[in-house]
Amino acid sequence: VYRFARADAGISEQLSEATFTITPNPASGTILISTEHLFDRVAIYSLDGQLVMTKTINSMSEQLEIQHLAKGSYTVELSNNSTRQVQRFIKI
């Protein structure tokens, strides 16, 4: 499990152990994100930190279309008001 944290001045947030899964991984067309907790937002970042996708969510399972992404590694970030969790997946 990889943990990434951004330094945001004056903002305190909790980065906890990831409690979500990304399947399949690696993936080519869609990924399914399943979580144990409710989150408000899912964001996908390229490894250079560029935000490539964001979506508001309100369920414990979300399917995302990723065929428009270039092949490579990406970071998925789930967040709500107090928690942020991060995992990687590979687009093939």
Side-chain angles (χ1 to χ4, degrees), residues 54-91:
T54 185
K55 185 175 183 181
T56 302
I57 59 174
N58 60 1
S59 70
M60 294 171 68
S61 179
E62 190 71 32
Q63 188 166 347
L64 299 175
E65 301 290 330
I66 59 163
Q67 60 264 48
H68 68 282
L69 299 177
K71 293 179 181 180
S73 294
Y74 291 88
T75 301
V76 174
E77 175 187 272
L78 293 181
S79 60
N80 60 25
N81 289 334
S82 62
T83 303
R84 189 167 54 97
Q85 297 184 358
V86 178
Q87 284 193 42
R88 281 193 181 175
F89 81 94
I90 298 171
K91 165 66 167 54

